[in-house]
Amino acid sequence: MTERVKSLQAIANRRYQLIEVGDLTGGMDLRRSATLLSPNRARRLSNFALTNPGELVVRPGYLRFSTSVNLGNSAIQGGQRVYLGSTSFTRIAWNGAVYRVGDAGSTALDSTAVYSTINSTAIVQFPYDRELVAVLDGANRPRKSTDGVTWTLMGIEAGSSAPTASSLSSGSLSASEFEVAYTYKDRGTGHESNGSTVSTLTMGATGAMEISVSNSTDAQTDAIVLYARNKTAGEAVKRKVSSAAQVGGAGSNSTYRITSSAWSANVEMPTNHNIPGSFRFAVYWKNRWWAADPTVGNRVYFSELFLNQAWPTLFYIDIPFEHGDDITAMIAQGDTLLIFGQSKVYLIIGQTSLDFEVRPSAGAQAGCLGPRAVALIENGVVHAASEGVFIFDGATDKYLGFDIEAGWRDLINNTSQGDLSRVALVYHFPQKELRISVPRLYPTIAAGEWVLDLNRTREQETPAWTTTDRAIGGYILFDGDEPTLGFRGQLLSWHPSTQGTLWSESTGTTANSSNMVANYEGPAFATGIHRARLIDIRGEYQPNPGTFSIEPLVDQVSQGSQGVTIAAGLAVYDTAIYDTDLYAGAGRRMFHVMQPLGAEGRTLQLNLTYSGQVAFRVFTYQMGFVPESRPRNFSE
């Protein structure tokens, strides 16, 4: 039989009733009306962490990383924790220069630049491999360093003039016609330039050649390599003759002698060691560097195998984006290099370092906002796009932003493309949090962060979002081999516009020695057609210093901010008397606040606010009310 429609009981019991919220840590939900929220969800969670189900705790604070240095009133352009084969260090770019960042202390940020010729407004990236780190700004030729202190051009320019060759009588060279050229070399990295133009010399008799080479003006060049071939003997390529130190400085010549032609088994002169272009950003994958071209928006260049400073002219791929996208981000995941546009993802798949295949990702639903808006996270790649926040598992995208859709739409619709391209994303693995810094945080217009708690998400199988009031322009994560105890997992950040200094995130319990201010806006509970009078509010909390207030709302009308005493001294005995480290009193206490007579309506809601410098916890709350016995018989 078809189920019949049931009538609603018009009479309610006019007695005191309690509504209890037993868990406040389910995360935010901006899609539903407040009256349809699950009891554990919230309309607003700012500066609260969802780490421990059952207790809403103020999230860890932050401290200024370098207490004595502020470079100036403009934003840091980029930063990176770099891990080379022999050392690790941190570098930032600010106002067109590169600065050293120590590991700790009041002088952690050095105000003296180590390099100072980069674009002063561009996003700056510091890609690295085991051998060197480079600084890329999309406008200038990259510079590189093997120690973070000395920066030189990435790649070496070939000699612009041919060597000068003359014959000598003492030697074992045959009477033949020879071609001679040279390359410049950096012995520190072992990299050579392409060969110079050639000089030809015909030997009339057995003897030797004296070769004069113009010294390089590039500071990294410390050696000159000579190459030659015997044209008369039919040699097709020039091969290495010798390598010797560059003698004298720029503007002078180095002179070398060739006495033998026993070079047939030596290496050929390089012809594909082209210098890199002014790339925007790059990644290291499959023993090559891959970089986004600054002028052809869909073009990705790649370096020669095992040669991070050699970029052959034809080593590039044009990604066939359907919607006219430019490359906005790249990230490597196993045998796959993900190339993001604004609205699409392409995959470069390589089983080896020599064989690559370009495929569109049929399962990807969106692209990426910028080079910082993508991160590896456990078994996937998270990317923030105009369409929302997604996790890509190698085949398909999964949308993570249903519950914050309203806030994300507000961000996209009211933020310039330039600001969106600087959105930063990081997976902070010690806290198991995905943090996304945005220039506009809903419902305010101020900058802040969206934070996804992965532990809580996994437990309830629904994304658990919260927010912070941190204005952040980018992150520096210590995620490599850290020999110093406690360094791994450290997270630094910088302000998006007005401060040339660094901050240590998820550190301590204060806002750089000031109060943390945390806000909670809970679900609204509807009493249906029966109006009810809110009698009182009770709740459980952990005694702590600071100030705590509640704000009841009845039919969305505030009943005023009401202070609650939460002093820590209420819960601990005097240890001097009891001669013990901690003689605990009640770790959980209850507050009880009576409500005004005018607190009457059909929906009951509660906001909580804490201000202080400890990890304050609130566990649960209850709202006591008395409903009318019958619904009113007139329109309001």
Side-chain angles (χ1 to χ4, degrees), residues 416-469:
S416 68
Q417 185 63 39
D419 287 340
L420 288 176
S421 68
R422 296 173 183 268
V423 167
L425 185 156
V426 69
Y427 171 47
H428 192 206
F429 56 87
Q431 300 291 331
K432 295 298 182 288
E433 289 180 339
L434 176 72
R435 302 175 62 161
I436 307 174
S437 70
V438 292
R440 180 185 175 99
L441 183 67
Y442 183 84
T444 71
I445 61 173
E449 287 180 301
W450 294 104
V451 181
L452 178 65
D453 188 292
L454 297 187
N455 282 338
R456 180 68 196 203
T457 295
R458 183 181 294 107
E459 181 172 298
Q460 66 186 22
E461 298 183 357
T462 303
W465 290 95
T466 181
T467 65
T468 81
D469 58 4

Coordinates of all heavy atoms in Angstrom, one line a residue, residues 416-469:
S416 N 41.3 39.6 -9.4 CA 41.9 39.8 -10.7 C 42.7 38.5 -11.1 O 43.1 37.7 -10.2 CB 42.9 41.0 -10.7 OG 44.0 40.7 -9.9
Q417 N 43.0 38.3 -12.4 CA 43.7 37.2 -12.8 C 45.1 37.2 -12.3 O 45.7 36.1 -11.9 CB 43.8 37.2 -14.4 CG 44.4 36.0 -15.0 CD 43.7 34.7 -14.7 OE1 42.5 34.7 -14.7 NE2 44.4 33.6 -14.4
G418 N 45.7 38.4 -12.2 CA 47.1 38.5 -11.6 C 47.2 38.0 -10.2 O 48.1 37.3 -9.8
D419 N 46.2 38.4 -9.4 CA 46.2 37.9 -8.0 C 45.9 36.4 -7.9 O 46.4 35.7 -7.0 CB 45.2 38.7 -7.2 CG 45.6 40.1 -6.9 OD1 46.8 40.4 -7.0 OD2 44.8 41.0 -6.6
L420 N 45.0 35.9 -8.7 CA 44.7 34.5 -8.7 C 45.9 33.7 -9.1 O 46.1 32.6 -8.6 CB 43.5 34.2 -9.7 CG 42.1 34.7 -9.2 CD1 41.1 34.4 -10.3 CD2 41.7 34.0 -7.9
S421 N 46.7 34.2 -10.0 CA 47.9 33.4 -10.4 C 48.9 33.2 -9.3 O 49.8 32.4 -9.4 CB 48.6 34.1 -11.6 OG 49.2 35.3 -11.2
R422 N 48.8 34.0 -8.2 CA 49.7 33.9 -7.1 C 49.1 33.1 -5.9 O 49.7 33.0 -4.8 CB 50.0 35.3 -6.6 CG 50.8 36.1 -7.6 CD 51.0 37.6 -7.2 NE 51.7 38.3 -8.2 CZ 53.0 38.5 -8.3 NH1 53.8 38.0 -7.4 NH2 53.6 39.2 -9.2
V423 N 47.9 32.5 -6.1 CA 47.4 31.6 -5.0 C 48.4 30.5 -4.8 O 48.9 29.9 -5.7 CB 46.0 31.1 -5.5 CG1 45.6 29.9 -4.6 CG2 45.0 32.2 -5.5
A424 N 48.6 30.3 -3.5 CA 49.6 29.2 -3.1 C 48.9 28.1 -2.4 O 48.0 28.3 -1.6 CB 50.7 29.9 -2.3
L425 N 49.5 26.9 -2.6 CA 48.9 25.7 -2.0 C 50.1 24.9 -1.4 O 51.1 24.7 -2.1 CB 48.1 25.0 -3.0 CG 47.3 23.7 -2.7 CD1 46.2 23.6 -3.7 CD2 48.2 22.5 -2.7
V426 N 49.9 24.3 -0.2 CA 50.9 23.4 0.3 C 50.3 22.3 1.1 O 49.2 22.5 1.8 CB 51.9 24.2 1.2 CG1 51.2 24.7 2.5 CG2 53.1 23.4 1.6
Y427 N 50.9 21.1 1.1 CA 50.4 20.0 2.0 C 51.4 20.0 3.1 O 52.6 19.6 3.0 CB 50.4 18.7 1.2 CG 50.2 17.5 2.1 CD1 49.2 17.5 3.0 CD2 51.0 16.4 2.0 CE1 49.0 16.4 3.8 CE2 50.8 15.3 2.8 CZ 49.8 15.3 3.7 OH 49.6 14.2 4.5
H428 N 50.9 20.4 4.3 CA 51.8 20.4 5.5 C 51.6 19.1 6.2 O 50.7 18.9 7.0 CB 51.4 21.6 6.4 CG 52.3 21.8 7.5 ND1 52.0 22.4 8.7 CD2 53.7 21.6 7.6 CE1 53.1 22.5 9.5 NE2 54.1 22.0 8.8
F429 N 52.5 18.1 5.9 CA 52.3 16.8 6.3 C 52.4 16.5 7.8 O 51.7 15.6 8.3 CB 53.3 15.8 5.6 CG 54.8 16.2 5.8 CD1 55.5 15.8 6.9 CD2 55.4 17.0 4.9 CE1 56.8 16.1 7.0 CE2 56.7 17.4 5.0 CZ 57.4 16.9 6.1
P430 N 53.1 17.3 8.7 CA 53.0 17.0 10.1 C 51.6 17.3 10.7 O 51.2 16.6 11.6 CB 54.1 18.0 10.7 CG 55.0 18.3 9.6 CD 54.1 18.3 8.4
Q431 N 50.9 18.3 10.2 CA 49.6 18.5 10.6 C 48.5 17.8 9.8 O 47.3 17.9 10.2 CB 49.3 20.0 10.6 CG 50.3 20.9 11.4 CD 50.1 20.7 12.9 OE1 49.0 20.4 13.3 NE2 51.1 20.9 13.7
K432 N 48.9 17.2 8.7 CA 48.0 16.5 7.8 C 46.9 17.5 7.3 O 45.7 17.2 7.3 CB 47.3 15.3 8.5 CG 48.3 14.2 8.8 CD 49.0 13.6 7.5 CE 49.9 12.5 7.8 NZ 51.2 12.9 8.5
E433 N 47.4 18.7 6.9 CA 46.6 19.7 6.4 C 47.0 20.2 5.0 O 48.2 20.3 4.7 CB 46.6 21.0 7.4 CG 46.0 20.8 8.7 CD 46.1 22.0 9.6 OE1 47.0 22.9 9.3 OE2 45.3 22.1 10.5
L434 N 46.0 20.5 4.2 CA 46.2 21.1 3.0 C 45.8 22.6 3.2 O 44.7 22.9 3.5 CB 45.3 20.5 1.9 CG 45.3 21.2 0.5 CD1 46.6 20.9 -0.2 CD2 44.1 20.7 -0.3
R435 N 46.8 23.5 2.9 CA 46.5 24.9 3.2 C 46.6 25.7 1.8 O 47.5 25.5 1.0 CB 47.6 25.5 4.1 CG 47.6 24.8 5.5 CD 48.7 25.2 6.4 NE 48.6 26.6 6.8 CZ 49.2 27.2 7.8 NH1 49.9 26.4 8.6 NH2 49.0 28.5 8.1
I436 N 45.6 26.5 1.6 CA 45.5 27.3 0.4 C 45.3 28.7 0.8 O 44.3 29.2 1.3 CB 44.2 26.8 -0.5 CG1 44.2 25.3 -0.7 CG2 44.2 27.6 -1.8 CD1 43.0 24.8 -1.4
S437 N 46.3 29.5 0.4 CA 46.3 31.0 0.7 C 45.5 31.7 -0.4 O 45.8 31.4 -1.6 CB 47.7 31.5 0.9 OG 48.3 31.6 -0.4
V438 N 44.6 32.5 -0.1 CA 43.8 33.2 -1.1 C 43.7 34.7 -0.7 O 43.8 35.1 0.5 CB 42.3 32.7 -1.1 CG1 42.3 31.2 -1.7 CG2 41.7 32.7 0.3
P439 N 43.6 35.6 -1.7 CA 43.6 37.0 -1.5 C 42.2 37.5 -1.0 O 42.1 38.7 -0.6 CB 43.9 37.6 -2.8 CG 43.5 36.6 -3.8 CD 43.7 35.3 -3.2
R440 N 41.2 36.7 -1.0 CA 39.9 37.1 -0.6 C 39.2 35.8 0.0 O 39.0 34.8 -0.6 CB 39.1 37.6 -1.8 CG 37.7 38.0 -1.4 CD 36.9 38.4 -2.7 NE 35.5 38.7 -2.4 CZ 35.0 39.9 -2.3 NH1 35.8 40.9 -2.4 NH2 33.7 40.1 -2.1
L441 N 38.9 35.9 1.3 CA 38.4 34.8 2.1 C 36.9 35.1 2.4 O 36.6 36.1 3.1 CB 39.2 34.5 3.3 CG 38.7 33.3 4.2 CD1 39.0 32.0 3.4 CD2 39.5 33.3 5.5
Y442 N 36.0 34.3 2.0 CA 34.6 34.4 2.2 C 34.3 34.2 3.7 O 34.9 33.3 4.3 CB 33.8 33.4 1.3 CG 32.3 33.5 1.4 CD1 31.6 34.4 0.7 CD2 31.6 32.6 2.3 CE1 30.2 34.5 0.8 CE2 30.3 32.7 2.4 CZ 29.6 33.6 1.6 OH 28.2 33.7 1.7
P443 N 33.4 34.9 4.4 CA 32.6 35.9 3.8 C 33.2 37.4 3.9 O 32.5 38.3 3.6 CB 31.3 35.8 4.8 CG 31.9 35.4 6.1 CD 33.1 34.5 5.8
T444 N 34.4 37.5 4.3 CA 35.0 38.8 4.4 C 35.7 39.1 3.0 O 35.6 38.3 2.1 CB 36.1 38.8 5.4 OG1 37.3 38.0 5.0 CG2 35.6 38.3 6.8
I445 N 36.3 40.2 2.9 CA 37.0 40.6 1.7 C 38.5 40.6 2.0 O 39.3 41.0 1.1 CB 36.6 41.9 1.1 CG1 36.8 43.1 2.1 CG2 35.1 41.9 0.7 CD1 36.6 44.5 1.5
A446 N 38.9 40.2 3.1 CA 40.3 40.1 3.5 C 41.0 38.8 3.1 O 40.3 37.8 2.8 CB 40.4 40.3 5.0
A447 N 42.3 38.8 3.0 CA 43.1 37.6 2.7 C 43.0 36.6 3.8 O 42.8 37.0 5.0 CB 44.5 38.0 2.4
G448 N 43.2 35.4 3.5 CA 43.1 34.3 4.5 C 43.5 33.0 3.9 O 44.1 32.9 2.8
E449 N 43.1 31.9 4.5 CA 43.4 30.6 4.1 C 42.2 29.7 4.2 O 41.5 29.7 5.2 CB 44.5 29.9 5.0 CG 45.9 30.4 4.8 CD 46.8 29.7 5.7 OE1 46.6 29.7 7.0 OE2 47.8 29.0 5.3
W450 N 42.1 28.8 3.2 CA 41.2 27.6 3.3 C 42.1 26.4 3.8 O 43.2 26.2 3.3 CB 40.6 27.2 2.0 CG 39.6 28.3 1.5 CD1 39.8 29.2 0.5 CD2 38.3 28.5 2.0 NE1 38.7 29.9 0.4 CE2 37.7 29.5 1.3 CE3 37.5 27.9 3.0 CZ2 36.4 30.0 1.5 CZ3 36.2 28.4 3.3 CH2 35.7 29.4 2.5
V451 N 41.7 25.7 4.8 CA 42.5 24.6 5.3 C 41.6 23.3 5.3 O 40.5 23.3 5.8 CB 42.9 24.9 6.8 CG1 43.8 23.7 7.3 CG2 43.7 26.2 6.8
L452 N 42.1 22.3 4.7 CA 41.5 21.0 4.6 C 42.2 20.0 5.5 O 43.4 19.7 5.3 CB 41.5 20.4 3.2 CG 40.8 19.0 3.0 CD1 39.4 19.1 3.3 CD2 41.1 18.5 1.5
D453 N 41.5 19.5 6.6 CA 42.1 18.6 7.5 C 41.9 17.2 7.0 O 40.8 16.7 6.9 CB 41.4 18.7 8.9 CG 42.1 17.9 10.0 OD1 42.0 16.7 9.9 OD2 42.7 18.5 10.9
L454 N 43.0 16.5 6.6 CA 42.9 15.2 6.0 C 42.5 14.1 6.9 O 41.8 13.1 6.6 CB 44.2 14.9 5.3 CG 44.6 15.8 4.1 CD1 45.8 15.3 3.4 CD2 43.5 16.0 3.1
N455 N 43.0 14.2 8.2 CA 42.6 13.2 9.1 C 41.1 13.1 9.4 O 40.4 12.1 9.4 CB 43.3 13.4 10.5 CG 44.7 12.9 10.4 OD1 45.1 12.1 9.6 ND2 45.6 13.5 11.3
R456 N 40.5 14.3 9.6 CA 39.1 14.4 9.8 C 38.3 14.0 8.5 O 37.3 13.3 8.6 CB 38.7 15.8 10.3 CG 37.2 16.0 10.5 CD 36.7 15.2 11.8 NE 35.3 15.0 11.8 CZ 34.6 14.8 12.9 NH1 35.2 14.7 14.0 NH2 33.3 14.7 12.8
T457 N 38.8 14.4 7.4 CA 38.2 14.1 6.1 C 38.1 12.6 5.9 O 37.1 12.0 5.5 CB 39.0 14.7 4.9 OG1 38.9 16.1 5.0 CG2 38.4 14.3 3.6
R458 N 39.3 11.9 6.2 CA 39.3 10.4 6.0 C 38.3 9.8 7.0 O 37.7 8.8 6.7 CB 40.7 9.9 6.3 CG 40.9 8.4 6.0 CD 42.3 8.0 6.3 NE 43.2 8.6 5.3 CZ 44.1 9.6 5.6 NH1 44.1 10.1 6.8 NH2 44.9 10.1 4.6
E459 N 38.2 10.3 8.2 CA 37.4 9.7 9.2 C 35.9 9.7 8.9 O 35.1 8.8 9.0 CB 37.6 10.3 10.6 CG 36.8 9.7 11.7 CD 37.2 10.2 13.1 OE1 38.4 10.0 13.5 OE2 36.4 10.9 13.7
Q460 N 35.5 10.9 8.4 CA 34.0 11.1 8.1 C 33.7 10.9 6.6 O 32.5 11.0 6.2 CB 33.6 12.4 8.6 CG 34.2 13.6 7.9 CD 33.8 14.9 8.5 OE1 33.4 15.0 9.6 NE2 33.8 16.0 7.7
E461 N 34.7 10.7 5.8 CA 34.6 10.5 4.4 C 33.9 11.7 3.7 O 33.2 11.5 2.7 CB 33.8 9.2 4.1 CG 34.5 8.0 4.6 CD 33.8 6.7 4.2 OE1 32.7 6.7 3.7 OE2 34.4 5.6 4.5
T462 N 34.0 12.8 4.3 CA 33.5 14.1 3.7 C 34.6 15.2 4.0 O 35.1 15.3 5.1 CB 32.2 14.5 4.4 OG1 31.2 13.5 4.2 CG2 31.7 15.8 3.8
P463 N 34.9 16.0 3.0 CA 36.0 17.0 3.2 C 35.6 17.9 4.4 O 34.5 18.4 4.5 CB 36.0 17.8 1.9 CG 35.5 16.8 0.8 CD 34.5 15.9 1.5
A464 N 36.6 18.1 5.2 CA 36.5 18.8 6.5 C 37.3 20.1 6.3 O 38.5 20.1 6.5 CB 36.9 18.0 7.7
W465 N 36.6 21.2 6.0 CA 37.3 22.5 5.8 C 37.2 23.4 7.0 O 36.2 23.4 7.7 CB 36.7 23.2 4.6 CG 37.0 22.6 3.3 CD1 36.2 21.7 2.6 CD2 38.1 22.8 2.4 NE1 36.8 21.3 1.4 CE2 38.0 22.0 1.3 CE3 39.3 23.6 2.6 CZ2 38.9 22.0 0.2 CZ3 40.2 23.6 1.5 CH2 40.0 22.8 0.4
T466 N 38.2 24.2 7.2 CA 38.2 25.3 8.1 C 39.0 26.4 7.5 O 39.5 26.3 6.4 CB 38.8 24.9 9.5 OG1 38.7 25.9 10.4 CG2 40.2 24.4 9.3
T467 N 39.1 27.6 8.2 CA 39.8 28.7 7.7 C 40.7 29.3 8.7 O 40.6 29.0 9.9 CB 38.8 29.8 7.2 OG1 38.1 30.3 8.4 CG2 37.8 29.3 6.2
T468 N 41.6 30.2 8.3 CA 42.4 31.0 9.2 C 42.4 32.5 8.7 O 41.9 32.7 7.5 CB 43.9 30.6 9.2 OG1 44.6 31.1 8.1 CG2 44.1 29.1 9.2
D469 N 42.8 33.4 9.5 CA 42.9 34.8 9.1 C 44.3 35.2 8.6 O 44.6 36.4 8.6 CB 42.4 35.7 10.2 CG 43.2 35.5 11.5 OD1 44.2 34.8 11.5 OD2 42.8 36.2 12.5

